[in-house]
């Protein structure tokens, strides 16, 4: 049996269109015989753009990536509604399109900025009684879905022509751009669907570079594409501890320490005295308690 490779770190994949997020990770897993890999923040097969891949121990921080704000470049095609909310679905409704002047278009678009309730689409990976919604949708089954609180931080109008509206959308986790597109189309007294969708950014990664699939899989090693595990954790408070304390922390023992501004509800990044990232802890009662440890130490 061939030994699998244990590689730790994060790859920012520029996911190609017409490949599911799972197909993307399985391809890289096979190419490099990886022991453990996962993705965060699923992208629709049609969509392209940023899909963070967590390798090895980095899979432990997936929760922090999922919670981050996302930025998308979306093209909405007005006049046609589909079963899936994007151009891969069957056409289920058509409507005339009579776009107002640019200033009114801008006004309508900006009315969607802010907090709102959104009902997830049937074509989604959410579950109902243990079954994925999209699997029920394929069978023609529609079930009730609870609305979710989301926030649209900003929408920038890029272009509006030929019944297509191109937007840059910055939004909170849990936002379905396909649903947003249909809601926007309604405000134009029409129907619509997503024609193109690209994820430009996830806030915890700032402006780090994405890498396309061919570039990654044509390489012999992954080192050139790997980001350190702590890359998306810069928003968390950090602390450096001594060598003796590092040994205690890595072995699951609490450390007596007094922080000036502890944020008890948040994790704290923990480093040793030479800057090695050890893991994440939480502070309470003047103690730093290990919660997620990345480095083993005897």
């Amino acid at each position: 049996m061939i030994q699998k490779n244990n590689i730790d770190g994060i790859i920012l994949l520029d996911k190609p269109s017409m490949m599911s997020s799972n197909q993307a990770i399985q391809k890289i897993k096979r190419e490099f015989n990886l022991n453990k890999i996962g993705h965060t923040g699923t992208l629709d097969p049609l969509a392209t753009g940023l899909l963070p891949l967590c390798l090895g121990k980095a899979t432990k921080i997936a929760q922090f990536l999922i919670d981050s704000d996302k930025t998308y470049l979306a093209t909405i095609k007005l006049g046609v509604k589909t079963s899936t909310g994007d151009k891969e679905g069957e056409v289920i409704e058509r409507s005339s399109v009579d776009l107002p002047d640019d200033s009114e278009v801008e006004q309508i678009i900006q009315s969607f900025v802010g907090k709102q309730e959104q009902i997830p689409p049937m074509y989604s990976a959410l579950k109902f009684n243990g079954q994925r919604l999209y699997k029920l949708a394929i069978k023609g089954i529609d079930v009730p879905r609870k609305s979710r609180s989301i926030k649209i931080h900003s929408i920038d109008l890029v272009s509006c022509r030929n019944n297509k509206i191109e937007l840059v959308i910055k939004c909170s986790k849990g936002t379905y751009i396909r649903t947003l597109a249909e809601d926007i189309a309604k405000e134009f007294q029409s129907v619509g669907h997503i024609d193109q969708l690209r994820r430009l950014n996830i806030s915890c990664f700032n402006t780090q570079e994405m890498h396309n699939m061919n570039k990654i899989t044509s390489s012999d090693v992954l080192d050139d594409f790997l980001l350190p595990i702590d890359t998306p954790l810069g928003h968390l408070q950090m602390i450096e501890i001594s060598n003796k304390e590092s040994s205690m922390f890595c072995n699951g023992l609490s450390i007596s320490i007094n922080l000036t501004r502890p944020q008890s509800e948040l994790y704290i990044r923990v480093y040793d005295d030479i800057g090695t990232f050890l893991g994440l802890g939480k502070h309470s009662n003047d103690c730093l308690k290990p919660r997620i440890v990345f480095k083993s130490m005897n």
Side-chain angles (χ1 to χ4, degrees):
M1 184 175 179
I2 299 174
Q3 181 82 21
K4 290 190 178 294
N5 295 318
N6 291 305
I7 299 175
D8 303 320
I10 299 168
I11 296 175
L12 301 186
L13 174 67
D14 186 348
K15 189 188 82 66
S17 183
M18 302 319 299
M19 176 182 284
S20 72
S21 299
N22 187 57
Q23 287 171 335
I25 64 170
Q26 293 305 323
K27 182 174 177 64
I28 292 178
K29 186 175 185 178
R30 287 193 304 270
E31 289 286 337
F32 295 95
N33 192 33
L34 297 175
N35 183 38
K36 195 171 186 180
I37 182 173
H39 66 76
T40 63
T42 304
L43 275 175
D44 292 340
L46 173 72
T48 66
L50 182 54
L51 181 68
L53 307 180
C54 296
L55 281 61
K57 293 177 182 177
T59 54
K60 295 180 180 180
I61 63 161
Q63 58 182 298
F64 300 98
L65 281 63
I66 292 171
D67 287 346
S68 294
D69 294 334
K70 317 291 192 300
T71 303
Y72 296 90
L73 176 64
T75 302
I76 304 171
K77 183 174 182 180
L78 299 174
V80 178
K81 183 175 183 177
T82 70
S83 56
T84 59
D86 61 30
K87 67 180 179 182
E88 293 307 302
E90 297 179 5
V91 175
I92 57 176
E93 187 178 348
R94 294 183 184 274
S95 175
S96 61
V97 182
D98 185 18
L99 286 172
D101 59 39
D102 290 349
S103 62
E104 192 171 342
V105 169
E106 181 70 33
Q107 186 177 354
I108 290 173
I109 295 301
Q110 293 308 314
S111 71
F112 284 88
V113 174
K115 292 182 179 180
Q116 57 190 270
E117 294 294 310
Q118 187 184 71
I119 297 176
M122 277 300 300
Y123 277 88
S124 67
L126 297 177
K127 289 184 177 181
F128 178 82
N129 291 340
Q131 294 190 65
R132 299 288 184 186
L133 289 183
Y134 70 84
K135 291 185 177 181
L136 296 175
I138 291 171
K139 298 176 182 177
I141 301 171
D142 193 303
V143 298
R145 286 96 67 200
K146 292 182 179 179
S147 65
R148 295 170 142 198
S149 295
I150 63 163
K151 186 174 183 180
I152 307 299
H153 298 289
S154 64
I155 305 180
D156 295 321
L157 179 62
V158 178
S159 65
C160 181
R161 59 180 182 272
N162 300 327
N163 293 347
K164 289 185 178 181
I165 303 174
E166 190 175 21
L167 306 169
V168 173
I169 303 163
K170 183 177 180 181
C171 57
S172 67
K173 69 171 183 177
T175 302
Y176 285 91
I177 304 298
R178 285 174 288 137
T179 299
L180 181 64
E182 291 178 338
D183 291 342
I184 288 173
K186 286 178 186 177
E187 289 301 308
F188 287 105
Q189 309 301 313
S190 186
V191 294
H193 67 272
I194 287 291
D195 186 62
Q196 301 287 337
L197 184 64
R198 179 170 178 77
R199 184 152 65 197
L200 302 175
N201 187 39
I202 298 177
S203 61
C204 61
F205 287 109
N206 298 317
T207 58
Q208 276 95 356
E209 179 187 1
M210 287 185 266
H211 306 282
N212 69 52
M213 180 67 82
N214 289 337
K215 185 178 179 182
I216 294 171
T217 54
S218 62
S219 177
D220 293 329
V221 293
L222 288 174
D223 293 8
D224 292 342
F225 310 106
L226 283 176
L227 293 173
I229 294 175
D230 60 340
T231 301
L233 305 177
H235 62 292
L236 299 177
Q237 186 178 357
M238 70 165 288
I239 187 173
E240 287 188 1
I241 58 178
S242 69
N243 187 55
K244 180 181 178 181
E245 290 169 333
S246 297
S247 180
M248 293 174 64
F249 181 88
C250 291
N251 285 292
L253 300 176
S254 297
I255 302 165
S256 179
I257 197 164
N258 184 23
L259 297 181
T260 53
R261 289 188 305 152
Q263 297 171 296
S264 59
E265 77 281 2
L266 296 178
Y267 286 91
I268 297 171
R269 290 177 291 144
V270 183
Y271 296 80
D272 66 15
D273 53 8
I274 60 170
T276 304
F277 179 51
L278 303 178
L280 298 171
K282 284 198 171 184
H283 186 269
S284 65
N285 299 323
D286 292 333
C287 282
L288 180 65
K289 301 178 180 180
R291 286 294 180 262
I292 303 175
V293 176
F294 295 101
K295 185 175 174 60
S296 59
M297 190 177 292
N298 296 323

